[in-house]
Amino acid sequence: MSEDLKRLNKYLSEAGYCSRRAADRLIEAGRVTINDVIPEMGTKVAPEDVVKVDGEIIGERKQDFVYLAFNKPVGIVCTTDTRVEKDNIIDYINYPKRIFPIGRLDKPSEGLILLTDDGDIVNKILRASNNHEKEYIVTVDIPISQTFIERMSGGIYLEDLGKRTKKCVVKKIDKFTFSIILTQGLNRQIRRMCEYLNYEVQTLKRVRIMNIQLDLPIGQYRELTKEEFNTLNNLIADSVKTYEDNQESFRKSRR
């Protein structure tokens, strides 16, 4: 019987409702019930249990997962909480199935973002420890110096986040434009790095996530090709999904 039990956050992600991280937030907010009772974090679900989010029954998956590439316009917010944010990505795309974004681009930014209903793939792509590349084209307000390129590349301590950015690849494109490849996803990371060096971001566009290139008009989406998905799967094959997975991998490496 115990092998039939699933942690509630895993159940919600495998059902295609949201990622595990988002599921944890829903559980903490008391929006999830099991058999009409609000559960504690870490509660496990049995096959016969009825799971609801905001009163809506969430059932086991019966269809294939969806994987979309979307060119997000400036002004659209990467949230699934359609009750709070009117300019949200879910209403904008209006996809016929429930999907959610993998990561985020802030409201003033544009470019490539992936969406899916596969909760287990999310952390594999997003965790900085997995070193998956994301590439951006950025314009700033004053001419780019060699010192700027070197300091951005070498890592910058962001005092308000209490973290140093990882080393990254930064290349000057023209007087006011540069490209940057990150394997990290700190909140407003590029904008904060530029601000630290007294530059202000004018435009920020994500043009690549791992092997997926931005090739869509603004506001349009498409399904990943079979080749793109297979390559993506190969790239994340050895990626850990969660902190617990990461710790287990570390313990095994020490044996």
Side-chain angles (χ1 to χ4, degrees), residues 93-106:
I93 292 178
N94 196 27
Y95 195 74
K97 293 177 65 177
R98 182 185 296 278
I99 54 174
F100 45 89
I102 301 177
R104 57 177 291 125
L105 276 172
D106 61 15

Side-chain angles (χ1 to χ4, degrees), residues 4 70 78 81 86 100 112 128 151 154 172:
D4 294 331
F70 173 57
C78 295
D81 197 342
K86 64 181 180 65
F100 45 89
L112 180 63
R151 296 195 68 183
K172 182 176 178 179

Side-chain angles (χ1 to χ4, degrees), residues 22-69:
D24 286 339
R25 291 196 293 266
L26 291 172
I27 296 164
E28 287 177 356
R31 293 171 57 185
V32 184
T33 61
I34 301 176
N35 304 323
D36 295 321
V37 175
I38 296 176
E40 298 178 354
M41 291 293 294
T43 298
K44 294 187 176 181
V45 180
E48 66 273 14
D49 288 333
V50 177
V51 177
K52 297 179 184 178
V53 177
D54 296 332
E56 174 190 350
I57 295 176
I58 309 301
E60 295 279 3
R61 161 168 302 282
K62 296 182 175 62
Q63 296 175 305
D64 291 338
F65 288 118
V66 171
Y67 304 94
L68 302 180

Side-chain angles (χ1 to χ4, degrees), residues 154-176:
I156 291 174
Y157 182 74
L158 302 177
E159 188 172 352
D160 52 346
L161 297 182
K163 293 182 180 180
R164 176 172 289 279
T165 62
K166 286 186 170 186
K167 290 184 178 181
C168 57
V169 178
V170 182
K171 294 180 180 178
K172 182 176 178 179
I173 296 175
D174 61 33
K175 187 175 182 179
F176 296 98

Side-chain angles (χ1 to χ4, degrees), residues 36-249:
D36 295 321
V37 175
I38 296 176
E40 298 178 354
M41 291 293 294
T43 298
K44 294 187 176 181
V45 180
E48 66 273 14
D49 288 333
V50 177
V51 177
K52 297 179 184 178
V53 177
D54 296 332
E56 174 190 350
I57 295 176
I58 309 301
E60 295 279 3
R61 161 168 302 282
K62 296 182 175 62
Q63 296 175 305
D64 291 338
F65 288 118
V66 171
Y67 304 94
L68 302 180
F70 173 57
N71 188 349
K72 184 191 92 68
V74 170
I76 298 301
V77 180
C78 295
T79 179
T80 57
D81 197 342
T82 57
R83 304 174 307 168
V84 173
E85 179 56 64
K86 64 181 180 65
D87 295 322
N88 67 83
I89 194 170
I90 301 304
D91 285 342
Y92 185 93
I93 292 178
N94 196 27
Y95 195 74
K97 293 177 65 177
R98 182 185 296 278
I99 54 174
F100 45 89
I102 301 177
R104 57 177 291 125
L105 276 172
D106 61 15
K107 191 172 183 177
S109 301
E110 64 179 283
L112 180 63
I113 188 162
L114 305 180
L115 297 101
T116 186
D117 54 354
D118 178 0
D120 274 349
I121 202 173
V122 175
N123 281 344
K124 282 189 173 187
I125 292 175
L126 294 184
R127 284 189 68 84
S129 58
N130 292 332
N131 294 313
H132 298 317
E133 292 185 349
K134 296 180 285 292
E135 183 174 357
Y136 304 79
I137 303 296
V138 186
T139 60
V140 289
D141 61 331
I142 55 178
I144 295 166
S145 66
Q146 184 58 33
T147 300
F148 173 85
I149 297 296
E150 291 172 358
R151 296 195 68 183
M152 290 284 285
S153 301
I156 291 174
Y157 182 74
L158 302 177
E159 188 172 352
D160 52 346
L161 297 182
K163 293 182 180 180
R164 176 172 289 279
T165 62
K166 286 186 170 186
K167 290 184 178 181
C168 57
V169 178
V170 182
K171 294 180 180 178
K172 182 176 178 179
I173 296 175
D174 61 33
K175 187 175 182 179
F176 296 98
T177 309
F178 67 93
S179 67
I180 181 168
I181 300 173
L182 301 179
T183 57
Q184 203 173 7
L186 300 178
N187 183 32
R188 297 179 68 252
Q189 179 172 343
I190 297 172
R191 295 179 189 276
R192 289 177 189 272
M193 292 169 74
C194 289
E195 286 168 8
Y196 180 85
L197 297 173
N198 298 314
Y199 285 71
E200 183 178 327
V201 171
Q202 302 296 296
T203 66
L204 192 157
K205 177 190 292 187
R206 184 156 62 197
V207 295
R208 179 171 65 88
I209 299 174
M210 299 170 66
N211 63 302
I212 314 299
Q213 301 280 348
L214 180 64
D215 58 1
L216 292 157
I218 292 177
Q220 299 296 307
Y221 70 84
R222 64 170 176 82
E223 293 186 359
L224 298 191
T225 66
K226 184 176 181 181
E227 181 180 2
E228 284 174 329
F229 180 72
N230 288 341
T231 302
L232 183 68
N233 248 346
N234 289 335
L235 289 170
I236 64 175
D238 297 324
S239 299
V240 294
K241 294 177 289 187
T242 64
Y243 174 81
E244 289 78 9
D245 292 338
N246 199 30
Q247 292 297 95
E248 180 61 24
S249 298

Side-chain angles (χ1 to χ4, degrees), residues 246-255:
N246 199 30
Q247 292 297 95
E248 180 61 24
S249 298
F250 175 75
R251 285 194 293 270
K252 288 179 179 178
S253 71
R254 301 277 290 180
R255 290 172 186 166

